[in-house]
Amino acid sequence: MTPRIRDEDQVRTMTLEAFADTIVPGEKRSPDDRAVAGAAPGGGAVAAGALELLEWDATGLSSGLDEFARLLNGHAQVYATEHELASDESVPPFVALPFEHRTALVQRLTTPGHPEKEFWVSLALFSNMAFDSAAHLHTADALAAGHPGLIAMGIELPDPDGLWRFPAYSYGRPLARLHPDTTPSGSPA
């Protein structure tokens, strides 16, 4: 029999990482990684810092993360029983689900009419936000560290002085003429 995980922090971390990985999948961090399913190449939400963003008190979710993990694991146990899936007590119940079953459970939890939908959609949004905006990091620092989401979207590094300048207009032309009173720094007069 495989040993059961007892450390509540580890249970919470693995569960929330597995949820974030279900929202924006990525590759495993190591061959024995169980939280990240390895369903997509490159870094996903976990590599982008989803857990760090969720734990940031500015999200308004950080104080409820223990409860999110507990609820998610409870839903995973019910789901596994319904689908007659083998249990694996060496990892939290949501982590034990194969990726396609994680996805199906998250779809169930975020479907209109589910009584907890708002909670799960919030968790999903912040998981996605970690990948597509690195909201918990300064953009230049995130890019310098190789943030997978910002790099995947083609966000360029700033100029050597740390500022972004765009000498070529993204639409191939200026969108508007500069106001005649605009200062050299770009501020309105």
Side-chain angles (χ1 to χ4, degrees):
M1 182 170 175
T2 316
R4 183 182 179 129
I5 288 186
R6 301 257 184 237
D7 180 350
E8 290 304 313
D9 287 337
Q10 187 179 13
V11 168
R12 183 186 92 147
T13 296
M14 290 180 76
T15 302
L16 294 173
E17 285 181 343
F19 183 90
D21 180 64
T22 305
I23 302 305
V24 182
E27 63 192 16
K28 289 180 172 284
R29 297 166 285 189
S30 67
D32 60 343
D33 190 350
R34 296 288 305 273
V36 176
V46 175
L51 195 59
E52 292 85 356
L53 178 59
L54 290 169
E55 290 174 339
W56 187 23
D57 61 353
T59 64
L61 298 176
S62 59
S63 64
L65 292 178
D66 290 338
E67 185 65 8
F68 275 120
R70 188 189 66 72
L71 287 169
L72 185 56
N73 283 318
H75 286 298
Q77 286 175 318
V78 170
Y79 179 92
T81 300
E82 290 172 359
H83 291 40
E84 300 178 352
L85 300 173
S87 66
D88 178 354
E89 293 190 1
S90 69
V91 293
F94 186 74
V95 177
L97 294 176
F99 184 75
E100 64 274 9
H101 289 287
R102 291 180 187 180
T103 303
L105 177 55
V106 169
Q107 181 178 9
R108 177 190 292 182
L109 296 173
T110 58
T111 296
H114 190 282
E116 299 168 2
K117 175 188 170 219
E118 291 78 15
F119 299 121
W120 303 114
V121 168
S122 294
L123 201 62
L125 287 172
F126 280 106
S127 297
N128 195 67
M129 188 184 295
F131 184 81
D132 69 10
S133 70
H136 58 300
L137 301 169
H138 186 284
T139 305
D141 295 340
L143 286 167
H147 187 277
L150 299 181
I151 290 171
M153 290 188 295
I155 306 294
E156 298 287 331
L157 290 169
D159 291 339
D161 63 1
L163 298 176
W164 277 269
R165 294 180 183 83
F166 303 93
Y169 302 103
S170 62
Y171 289 98
R173 62 185 177 82
L175 297 179
R177 292 183 313 276
L178 283 178
H179 188 278
D181 293 331
T182 302
T183 66
S185 70
S187 300

